[in-house]
Amino acid sequence: MTEAPKTAGTATLTLGDKSVELPVLSGSTGPDVVDIRKMYGATGAFTFDPGFTSTASCESALTYIDGDEGILLHRGYPIDQLASKSTFVEVCHLLLHGELPSASEFESFERSVTMHTMLHSQFDRFFEGFRRDAHPMAIMVGTVGALSAFYHDSLDIHDPVQRNISAIRLIAKMPTIAARAYKYHVGQPFVSPRNDLNYAENFLRMCFAVPAEDYVIDPALARAMDRILILHADHEQNASTSTVRLAGSSGANPFACIAAGIACLWGPSHGGANEEALNMLKEIGTPENIPDFIAGVKDRRHKLMGFGHRVYKNYDPRARVMKESADEVLAATGRINDPLFQVAKELEKVALNDEYFIERKLFPNVDFYSGITLSAMGFPTTMFTVLFALARTVGWIAQWQEMMEDPSQKIGRPRQLYTGPTERDYVPISQRG
Ligand code: SDX
């Protein structure tokens, strides 16, 4: 149900004695774009947009964000409806195939994912190469890239069947790899996936089951885990997704592209913010310390982690759902009076009523409440970004597939505004000052 871009008039650019008519294109909704592909040829000038604050890098039908209204749609479905009515595996089908599956399509898709959750037995030896105190994201970056050393039968990126197999393998194996990264970190034996459990149940069991006793699935925690995965599944052309697309544009295999996305997500301004946000709440400690912390933010001594967003200039709709999840998980785990949750709620209230944050349109984003929820579920802060990467894998691979199916796709190769030395001759060392 995608719509081809429609021409919506032209934009005239005049540069010195040169003038060029640039087509304006409209999508199904959201801002129009000025198609500048012919601009350099017509004017000899580049556009300049570090950070891509005004640049659309591609055409996509996967996810739509209206940052001013705080709207997030996946293939047209609002995130709050998917979080409350769907499941992560169903959202995976929606992102990959464009529609919610029928009952038989869902059964077949879920079965396909379930049957790919195991890892090659030699793969487990990779973990032995890391120190026990290695950050789990360092393990994820290394091991996910290594998947391409095991699955030579699905590396032909021009074969749609192999592209789909790679997508299923990545979605299915990420929980097993993430759980192994955690188990290795805490020094417990690996737990194999089970085919009689759903995606979230399987992941929680692989993380928290121990040989000494049977692991009892808590339905409330499994549901919360599934919802958290939905909230993180995809988010338009964010930094890590753009990294995956740029890596894929060179023809790199999907496993290598996802490893590149994981590396980018690790940064504290992006996926690493959930870990930093909880560390920030621990540093604040009590509501009484909030005024001093806010003063430090205004003095630019630190940022309010989990706040602000390049696109959302309103409340991140995912943060709203995440806050509800935090309530449910804290109640389910007997932590409803968790002091950090009280600090977070008070900090949000103070910030949302403070002119510094209001004029900069800074609101809680998806990372502000996720740490409290994940911590209550038993995950250490070092695992928070791993869980983000686990969930975002479906978004990355769906965006990669969309790019590979785009007939106009070509290698991404931005230019620059050069401000270095102009040409000069080499000076022998004997003649240098
Ligand atoms: C994610 O892009 C995506 O879609 C990402 C993501 C996804 O799902 O993929 O949504 C996931 O990455 C969410 C964001 C997680 N990061 C954080 O929570 C880290 C804290 N946030 C900031 O670092 C910042 O808000 C960014 C990086 C998220 C956005 O930065 P921008 O768009 O470059 O905005 P900016 O830095 O230009 O900020 C505008 C103003 C500045 O003040 P002035 O210099 O104009 O006076 O707001 C200030 C900033 O200093 N500001 C903050 C702030 N974020 C911005 N001040 C204090 N605390 C903050 N968190």
Side-chain angles (χ1 to χ4, degrees):
M1 245 176 84
T2 61
E3 289 183 34
K6 298 180 287 295
T7 300
T10 60
T12 304
L13 180 77
T14 302
L15 200 58
D17 58 354
K18 297 188 177 75
S19 180
V20 58
E21 293 290 305
L22 299 169
V24 174
L25 305 176
S26 287
S28 47
T29 185
D32 288 348
V33 298
V34 177
D35 182 345
I36 58 166
R37 284 175 283 191
K38 293 187 172 53
M39 195 191 91
Y40 175 56
T43 67
F46 298 137
T47 60
F48 186 63
D49 186 17
F52 312 118
T53 53
S54 300
T55 293
S57 60
C58 63
E59 178 189 327
S60 181
L62 280 162
T63 291
Y64 175 69
I65 301 173
D66 182 329
D68 294 330
E69 298 301 319
I71 290 170
L72 169 57
L73 310 177
H74 290 316
R75 301 285 195 179
Y77 295 99
I79 189 65
D80 58 317
Q81 292 186 30
L82 293 173
S84 59
K85 297 173 180 164
S86 186
T87 63
F88 179 68
V89 170
E90 185 176 74
V91 170
C92 288
H93 184 283
L94 175 65
L95 287 169
L96 288 173
H97 301 295
E99 298 295 339
L100 292 170
S102 64
S104 61
E105 287 168 335
F106 178 74
E107 186 183 347
S108 161
F109 181 79
E110 184 179 46
R111 181 83 182 143
S112 177
V113 171
T114 299
M115 299 314 287
H116 282 87
T117 51
M118 287 182 68
L119 290 166
H120 191 291
S121 57
Q122 278 183 240
F123 194 88
D124 281 358
R125 289 161 52 187
F126 271 117
F127 297 91
E128 299 300 322
F130 294 98
R131 285 173 35 159
R132 287 287 181 176
D133 61 353
H135 193 294
M137 278 300 279
I139 297 176
M140 293 300 289
V141 170
T143 51
V144 172
L147 284 173
S148 42
F150 287 81
Y151 299 109
H152 302 97
D153 64 338
S154 65
L155 294 184
D156 178 357
I157 59 173
H158 303 294
D159 177 353
V161 172
Q162 293 190 39
R163 290 203 297 266
N164 190 55
I165 291 171
S166 295
I168 294 294
R169 278 177 164 152
L170 279 157
I171 291 166
K173 296 180 193 300
M174 284 297 272
T176 311
I177 295 171
R180 272 153 165 67
Y182 170 63
K183 282 303 200 186
Y184 186 75
H185 189 63
V186 296
Q188 292 180 353
F190 294 158
V191 177
S192 293
R194 288 253 304 262
N195 293 347
D196 61 336
L197 299 178
N198 70 34
Y199 196 88
E201 292 168 344
N202 227 343
F203 176 61
L204 290 177
R205 182 177 169 278
M206 287 190 284
C207 286
F208 298 122
V210 289
E213 60 187 28
D214 290 339
Y215 179 73
V216 178
I217 305 274
D218 179 330
L221 297 191
R223 181 73 194 112
M225 187 75 255
D226 195 81
R227 192 183 304 135
I228 289 168
L229 296 174
I230 292 173
L231 293 177
H232 290 80
D234 189 49
H235 211 242
E236 201 210 65
Q237 305 311 318
N238 58 84
S240 53
T241 297
S242 299
T243 300
V244 170
R245 278 181 173 261
L246 197 54
S249 75
S250 75
N253 74 69
F255 305 103
C257 295
I258 299 302
I262 293 172
C264 177
L265 186 75
W266 195 359
S269 287
H270 189 14
N274 52 19
E275 179 175 350
E276 295 303 325
L278 192 74
N279 291 338
M280 171 191 74
L281 294 174
K282 287 177 181 172
E283 181 195 333
I284 295 171
T286 64
E288 292 69 39
N289 295 334
I290 289 174
D292 281 351
F293 184 83
I294 293 286
V297 171
K298 293 178 179 177
D299 294 342
R300 294 158 192 275
R301 280 183 277 118
H302 38 244
K303 287 207 180 244
L304 184 45
M305 299 310 281
F307 254 68
H309 200 277
R310 170 60 56 76
V311 177
Y312 289 122
K313 301 308 172 189
N314 200 324
Y315 212 100
D316 181 336
R318 302 168 297 174
R320 214 183 296 284
V321 180
M322 187 61 76
K323 188 175 178 179
E324 291 162 13
S325 268
D327 259 330
E328 288 170 20
V329 169
L330 292 173
T333 55
R335 294 179 172 86
I336 196 60
N337 295 317
D338 182 321
L340 291 183
F341 194 39
Q342 307 314 319
V343 170
K345 288 193 280 191
E346 181 60 23
L347 181 58
E348 175 192 349
K349 192 162 67 175
V350 168
L352 292 185
N353 290 289
D354 186 302
E355 201 44 47
Y356 181 89
F357 299 91
I358 293 170
E359 70 186 41
R360 289 169 176 80
K361 297 185 178 180
L362 301 177
F363 291 85
N365 60 51
V366 68
D367 294 309
F368 189 65
Y369 286 106
S370 57
I372 293 165
T373 310
L374 296 172
S375 181
M377 294 175 82
F379 292 105
T381 50
T382 51
M383 276 295 289
F384 293 177
T385 311
V386 171
L387 300 179
F388 196 147
L390 193 176
R392 185 54 57 87
T393 294
V394 63
W396 288 331
I397 203 67
Q399 297 268 356
W400 172 80
Q401 279 199 336
E402 183 177 62
M403 177 186 72
M404 296 309 293
E405 290 159 7
D406 180 346
S408 67
Q409 187 269 326
K410 57 177 61 178
I411 190 167
R413 204 295 188 195
R415 301 301 303 274
Q416 63 182 10
L417 172 64
Y418 178 71
T419 55
T422 53
E423 186 171 350
R424 53 182 173 165
D425 294 328
Y426 181 82
V427 177
I429 193 164
S430 60
Q431 294 171 29
R432 294 175 211 155

